[in-house]
Amino acid sequence: MFDYEKNKLLWNGLSVETLTHDVTHLLKSAHSYSGPFWLYQESILHDRVRLLEAELPGFHFYYSVKSQSNLTILSKMAEYARVGADVVSGGELFRALKAGFSAERIVFAGVGKSEEEIQAALQAKIRSFHVESISELRDIARLAALQNLVAPVSLRLNPDVEVDTHKHITTGKEENKFGLSDADFSEATKILKSTPSLALVGLQAHIGSQIFAHEPYVETARYLQKKADILRAALGKPVEYLSLGGGFGIDYKRTEGNAVDFPFAALLKEIRSVVDKNMELHFEPGRFISAPLCVLMSRVRHLKTRTGKIIAIIDAAMNDLIRPMLYEAYHPILPVEKRMGSAVYDIVGPVCESTDTFASQRTLTELAEDDWVAIGYAGAYGSAMSSNFNARVLLPAVVLTQEGKLSVIRKPQTFEQMIENEI
Ligand code: LLP
């Protein structure tokens, strides 16, 4: 994914120096803007989707919109017939529809759907609600009945599967807030049996994020199939699909190679044998598709020397990319030009918080003021989690299409836009 040639950074074979030069020129002339920016390569998106389609034949993918919800990016995903959208809010539903996903390719997850969100999804006629509590199931039933509709619902279950990941991104354990417990499942079965405004469509589980082993998915598939059998006996009808959620991991520390770190072949080999032959199988990948699409480009503003290290203050900050601060996440920081020598750096942003630190005590080749660095694998949960903290504006995003053409897919936010809803 990343490489150096004559000490200049290449990203997926392209010169980041040339790209940065062209993008800064474009942003300056079109938007009078000269700060950090998100840089995308559209061809990587196509590579990722095609890779999933090839590695997991017959499976359906509901792209996790929360990981990266830019309209242009979504509209590129929507071109693939086997890709739908997994949304978690009315806002994401709005984005997915706007980007061109047909409603029957949208599923709606989330533990706290509001009545307005349920109404909007009922009106749109989405494929299915992924229901996370008995209270929600009752809400959906009531709102559907009021409109003489039958709501398509799937039960999000909690398989209590252990995965080896950061504590903030595990979701499939019993103590988590997500999904229905075994007791809830029995209650849900009774409700489904006696409520004409509900139609069961599928079963879902999401066991976490940053998963690198296939076994937890196989275990989850086995668990869901068992539950599907129980429901079939109780309701007299098979479910249409099992969704195994998202979670395919990306090794952020590995900058060489193609950023495929999940054993898809092993998964494919084992998973079919634990589910019914004709069962439709879904995954909801977010990070696997969106992380490698984008780098955050930022410039070194100032350097300060401290005992045993140098503090490099760059012009991007935690309000742009919060993953290192929130999850202790590692992102590669790649100088666009590799200078001679190396030093130990703290790479920090300008926000007034000590936690605004992208990397602590990291050895990098020497940096000079005004150097550009690329923060790698920034496409997932990057701009999607940005904020206006410290009244910093949201950064522009620029995409590079396959033909080498650059286009701005999100304009830089202006100060006026930042305050326009304030009174
Ligand atoms: N499906 C469901 C129901 C989810 O909750 C998630 C992510 C996904 C799919 C997509 O998971 P992925 O393939 O991206 O791992 N902000 C954190 C990650 C939070 C993931 C939340 N759920 C991070 O930056 O690491």
Side-chain angles (χ1 to χ4, degrees):
M1 191 66 47
F2 301 100
D3 219 340
Y4 281 92
E5 197 179 85
K6 296 196 180 121
N7 295 323
K8 299 291 170 79
L9 178 65
L10 299 181
W11 174 32
N12 207 29
L14 300 179
S15 158
V16 180
E17 186 178 51
T18 308
L19 283 171
T20 303
H21 174 269
D22 294 350
V23 171
T24 45
H25 184 75
L26 171 70
L27 291 173
K28 184 113 201 141
S29 58
H31 301 286
S32 309
Y33 176 88
S34 56
F37 57 91
W38 305 98
L39 179 63
Y40 290 77
Q41 276 195 56
E42 184 183 332
S43 61
I44 300 178
L45 182 153
H46 299 293
D47 292 347
R48 304 304 277 180
V49 175
R50 287 186 192 131
L51 186 135
L52 284 177
E53 290 192 331
E55 292 280 353
L56 299 172
F59 285 68
H60 294 257
F61 304 101
Y62 283 73
Y63 168 67
S64 180
V65 171
K66 71 169 85 74
S67 74
Q68 167 52 256
S69 61
N70 178 279
L71 275 188
T72 301
I73 300 296
L74 287 181
S75 70
K76 304 289 172 193
M77 308 264 186
E79 289 169 11
Y80 290 86
R82 269 167 67 196
V83 179
D86 161 40
V87 304
V88 293
S89 68
E92 285 191 359
L93 174 63
F94 173 79
R95 279 179 178 273
L97 290 168
K98 266 255 184 276
F101 283 101
S102 55
E104 67 271 17
R105 284 198 290 153
I106 298 176
V107 296
F108 190 174
V111 289
K113 300 175 190 79
S114 70
E115 294 206 352
E116 291 74 17
E117 289 175 322
I118 294 170
Q119 298 276 23
L122 283 170
Q123 293 290 322
K125 302 209 179 322
I126 61 164
R127 173 95 195 257
S128 175
F129 290 91
H130 287 178
V131 176
E132 307 227 15
S133 64
I134 297 299
S135 158
E136 178 193 334
L137 190 62
R138 293 193 202 281
D139 272 358
I140 295 173
R142 178 173 49 82
L143 293 168
L146 277 176
Q147 299 179 57
N148 278 327
L149 293 171
V150 177
V153 294
S154 302
L155 303 180
R156 174 167 178 177
L157 303 178
N158 220 325
D160 203 17
V161 167
E162 188 84 59
V163 290
D164 179 21
T165 185
H166 191 276
K167 62 180 184 302
H168 290 170
I169 49 181
T170 54
T171 46
K173 292 286 293 165
E174 213 268 329
E175 71 263 23
N176 258 299
K177 72 173 174 181
F178 299 101
L180 300 161
S181 66
D182 274 349
D184 293 338
F185 175 77
S186 309
E187 178 69 19
T189 309
K190 280 190 213 136
I191 296 172
L192 286 167
K193 213 168 159 174
S194 60
T195 313
S197 63
L198 296 175
L200 180 68
V201 179
L203 295 181
Q204 195 266 6
H206 171 76
I207 48 179
S209 211
Q210 278 298 66
I211 299 170
F212 294 93
H214 68 287
E215 293 91 346
Y217 289 102
V218 178
E219 209 182 306
T220 301
R222 191 179 285 120
Y223 171 90
L224 290 181
Q225 180 63 59
K226 237 186 250 160
K227 296 293 185 189
D229 294 342
I230 296 171
L231 284 164
R232 182 186 201 147
L235 307 175
K237 229 179 101 192
V239 300
E240 292 172 20
Y241 70 76
L242 303 182
S243 171
L244 301 167
F248 300 144
I250 293 273
D251 182 353
Y252 286 81
K253 291 199 166 147
R254 203 162 69 82
T255 49
E256 77 287 1
N258 63 353
V260 180
D261 304 297
F262 187 86
F264 290 110
L267 178 69
L268 182 67
K269 193 159 160 251
E270 288 182 37
I271 209 153
R272 276 283 165 202
S273 64
V274 302
V275 296
D276 280 357
K277 207 163 117 274
N278 296 320
M279 185 66 82
E280 193 178 311
L281 289 175
H282 296 182
F283 280 105
E284 299 165 353
R287 184 190 325 264
F288 181 81
I289 298 178
S290 55
L293 299 186
C294 170
V295 293
L296 172 55
M297 296 302 305
S298 178
R299 219 169 335 182
V300 177
R301 303 304 304 161
H302 308 290
L303 294 168
K304 297 187 190 188
T305 308
R306 292 283 191 269
T307 318
K309 68 182 181 193
I310 299 169
I311 298 178
I313 301 151
I314 63 173
D315 58 2
M318 63 188 288
N319 73 298
D320 304 309
L321 174 67
I322 201 173
R323 300 193 68 256
M325 303 78 189
L326 202 52
Y327 316 113
E328 300 153 1
Y330 180 101
H331 279 264
I333 296 175
L334 303 143
V336 170
E337 181 180 356
K338 225 182 202 177
R339 297 178 186 281
M340 303 302 276
S342 64
V344 177
Y345 289 96
D346 279 0
I347 307 287
V348 307
V351 160
C352 300
E353 289 238 20
S354 299
T355 190
D356 188 19
T357 299
F358 288 101
S360 295
Q361 309 267 346
R362 194 169 302 176
T363 303
L364 296 175
T365 55
E366 253 168 43
L367 294 172
E369 287 169 4
D370 279 340
D371 276 2
W372 282 94
V373 294
I375 303 182
Y377 303 128
Y381 310 105
S383 59
M385 293 175 77
S386 293
S387 75
N388 283 124
F389 187 41
N390 273 213
R392 286 169 52 88
V393 293
L394 303 180
L395 304 185
V398 183
V399 73
L400 172 74
T401 63
Q402 276 139 315
E403 294 78 36
K405 202 176 129 248
L406 290 169
S407 45
V408 177
I409 57 168
R410 187 179 71 192
K411 297 180 200 167
Q413 194 184 28
T414 62
F415 288 159
E416 287 304 324
Q417 287 167 340
M418 184 172 62
I419 61 166
E420 72 190 351
N421 290 339
E422 293 179 35
I423 291 151

